[in-house]
């Protein structure tokens, strides 16, 4: 009898461990159902049809009247530096930005400064960097509900300068942004990576993305709801995943926009193919591009998607033509990794098997390969993008558990090198010959193959050095372990290596998603900035936090283009 009781207790502990260390959303009996034995993989053509991507111009047409108005204003030739044309929120989705238009009698370079409330919070930008008589100034970084003081400076070829001071009054923050209280507990602006115009972007999963300065004050936000995706693109633009109507539950509009809110491209996808990570009790927001995308050298978009099947989700990559909006290439990871990984995996609340859960993708132009992170296999790997052949794999899965043909790709970890679990944000830092330096955020939850001994005890940012020739991986830097369980995050997270060598870490799902903790540490592992976001709306914790130029030196705004 006592043996039976012990057996029941042990069984209960094991089952509890499976729930706690398994994927975040698996919790009911239906999850134990698996795919039919006769399930056939979808063809590439079928997946392309399921994705249904295409280019549309709905938003550009809606903005047509505004752009036409600004073009007419530029041609009018009646606005001067002393009396410029000023339009707050020029495209009606970026309330803390403005467009300023004027002409000068002689060719000049124009710069502006938005005066900060405290030291090191002013934002300065050079406009275009070229001498011109016609000036279109894209102003970004205003404070909300504030009389912002702006200085415009025109510098002529002979070195003479003209100065104009003006004030721009802004309105209140919207409900979702204002409720997300940002509390800064540590701030060392001398050591922070800020420059003259850098802000920290908080990309929230279901509401408006926004950016703050070192004080935690909001200096930019978009009224467009964003699901996961807000990525730096070329020419100072952003790629944002949003939806056609704020009341819709499907995020399947990918737009190329700028910080003023002007739309340059719009890609639309099938609303039927989206996936969700929500539990049954939550609103079922769905999205096709679910976690990440990157830009290929061709200009095309490589995005993490679902194949549209009845049984699987978030295990496919799609290359989308920037010119046509059509899918031109598909990578189905069920065709690359062992069948044992995906054939019989627990189902989620939506009835699908999230066996792979790809949450990042990055392109390495030096060897035409891609970096992949699979949360639910606790696995990172590199593929040759031209051939889809594996270059290396890093996983806690024991070598003998892999089919023989995969073992040659497995990286051997050196001493004190961490096994990742449920990781996010895998990106290449640099490459030299056979050595690759990569960064990721290790959630440290053993979903399937992570480190069960440390699972759930802490989360951390990690930098690894991979020797592709010797097939070894060495941990060269980490931060977060010393913070312990207090900063453990079962899901969500990001790590960004900054230009000055600091690392920005997003402990996005701290305290079960009730708050997000963003920490910047220097090369010595010392905190130089610590901000906490609390009271965010449901599922609006910080999915990713990263430092961004507002705006980069090569950015040029021109309503005539």
């Amino acid at each position: 009898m006592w043996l039976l009781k012990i057996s029941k207790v042990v069984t209960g502990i094991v089952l509890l461990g499976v729930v706690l260390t398994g994927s975040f959303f698996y919790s009911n009996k239906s999850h134990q159902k698996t795919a039919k034995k006769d399930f056939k993989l979808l063809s590439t053509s079928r997946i392309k049809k399921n994705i249904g991507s295409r280019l549309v111009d709905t938003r550009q047409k809606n903005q047509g009247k505004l752009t036409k108005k600004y073009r007419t204003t530029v041609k009018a030739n009646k606005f001067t530096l002393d009396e410029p044309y000023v339009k707050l929120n020029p495209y009606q989705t970026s309330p803390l930005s403005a467009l300023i238009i004027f002409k000068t009698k002689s060719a000049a370079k124009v710069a502006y400064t938005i005066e900060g409330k405290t030291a090191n919070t002013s934002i300065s930008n050079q406009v275009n960097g070229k001498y011109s008589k016609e000036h279109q100034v894209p102003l970004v970084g205003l404070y909300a509900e504030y009389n912002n003081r702006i200085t415009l400076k025109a510098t002529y070829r002979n070195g003479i300068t003209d100065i104009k001071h003006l004030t721009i009054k802004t309105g209140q923050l919207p409900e979702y942004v204002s409720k997300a209280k940002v509390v800064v507990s540590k701030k060392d602006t001398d050591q922070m990576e800020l420059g003259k115009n850098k802000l920290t972007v908080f990309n929230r999963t279901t509401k408006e993305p926004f950016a703050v300065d070192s004080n935690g004050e909001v200096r930019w936000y978009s009224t467009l709801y964003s699901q996961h995706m807000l990525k730096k693109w070329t020419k100072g633009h952003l790629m944002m995943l949003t939806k056609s109507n704020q009341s819709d539950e499907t995020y399947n509009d990918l737009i190329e926009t700028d910080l003023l809110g002007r739309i340059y491209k719009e890609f639309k996808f099938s609303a039927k193919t989206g996936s969700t990570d929500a539990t049954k009790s939550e609103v079922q927001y769905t999205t096709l591009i679910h976690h990440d995308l990157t830009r290929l050298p061709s200009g095309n978009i490589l995005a993490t998607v679902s194949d549209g099947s009845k049984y699987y989700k978030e295990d496919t990559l799609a290359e989308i033509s920037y010119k046509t909006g059509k899918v031109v290439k598909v990578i189905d990871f069920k065709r690359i990794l062992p069948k044992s990984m995906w054939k019989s995996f627990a189902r989620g609340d939506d009835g699908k098997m999230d066996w792979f859960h790809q949450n990042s993708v990055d392109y390495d132009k030096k060897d035409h390969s891609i970096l992949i992170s699979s949360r639910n296999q606790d696995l990172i790997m590199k593929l040759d993008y031209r051939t889809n052949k594996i270059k290396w794999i890093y996983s806690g899965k024991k070598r003998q558990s892999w089919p023989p043909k995969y073992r040659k790709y497995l990286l051997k970890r050196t001493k004190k090198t961490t096994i990742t679990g449920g990781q996010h944000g895998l990106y290449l830092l640099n490459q030299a010959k056979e050595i690759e330096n990569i960064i990721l955020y290790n959630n440290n939850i053993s979903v399937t193959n992570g480190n069960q001994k440390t699972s759930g005890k802490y989360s951390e940012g990690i930098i690894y050095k991979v020797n592709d020739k010797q097939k070894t991986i060495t941990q060269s830097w980490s931060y977060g372990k010393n913070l312990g369980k207090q900063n453990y995050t079962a899901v969500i997270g990001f790590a960004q290596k900054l230009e000055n060598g600091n690392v920005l870490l997003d402990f996005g799902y701290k305290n079960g998603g009730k708050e997000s903790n963003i920490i910047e540490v220097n090369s010595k592992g010392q905190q130089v900035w610590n901000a906490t976001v609390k009271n965010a709306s449901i599922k609006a914790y910080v999915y990713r936090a990263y430092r961004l130029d507002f705006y980069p030196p090569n950015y040029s705004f021109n309503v005539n283009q």
Side-chain angles (χ1 to χ4, degrees), residues 126-163:
Q126 179 74 47
V127 181
N128 293 338
K130 298 178 181 179
Y131 287 101
S132 176
K133 293 181 180 180
E134 184 181 278
H135 307 284
Q136 301 173 41
V137 181
L139 197 75
V140 293
L142 301 171
Y143 291 98
E145 200 174 359
Y146 189 69
N147 288 313
N148 292 269
R149 288 177 288 191
I150 318 297
T151 299
L152 291 173
K153 181 180 179 181
T155 303
Y156 304 97
R157 284 194 171 96
N158 60 7
I160 295 175
T161 60
D162 281 335
I163 302 292

Side-chain angles (χ1 to χ4, degrees), residues 331-348:
I331 296 178
D332 183 350
F333 287 99
K334 293 186 291 294
R335 296 185 180 275
I336 292 175
L337 290 169
K339 185 181 293 186
S340 58
M341 285 185 170
W342 54 265
K343 190 65 176 177
S344 300
F345 198 83
R347 290 197 191 186

Side-chain angles (χ1 to χ4, degrees), residues 226 237 256 508:
S226 174
H237 295 176
E256 180 182 352

Side-chain angles (χ1 to χ4, degrees), residues 412-459:
K412 297 176 183 178
R413 62 190 181 99
T414 58
K415 290 183 179 181
K416 299 183 180 180
T417 295
T418 301
I419 296 172
T420 63
Q423 71 291 321
H424 285 73
L426 169 66
Y427 294 101
L428 179 72
L429 295 177
N430 53 58
Q431 185 183 52
K433 295 183 180 180
E434 298 91 8
I435 303 297
E436 300 160 350
N437 290 290
I438 57 178
I439 190 170
L440 58 77
Y441 178 85
N442 178 28
N443 293 81
N444 193 31
I445 177 173
S446 179
V447 183
T448 51
N449 299 298
N451 189 333
Q452 294 184 4
K453 292 182 179 180
T454 64
S455 179
K457 294 183 178 179
Y458 61 87
S459 297

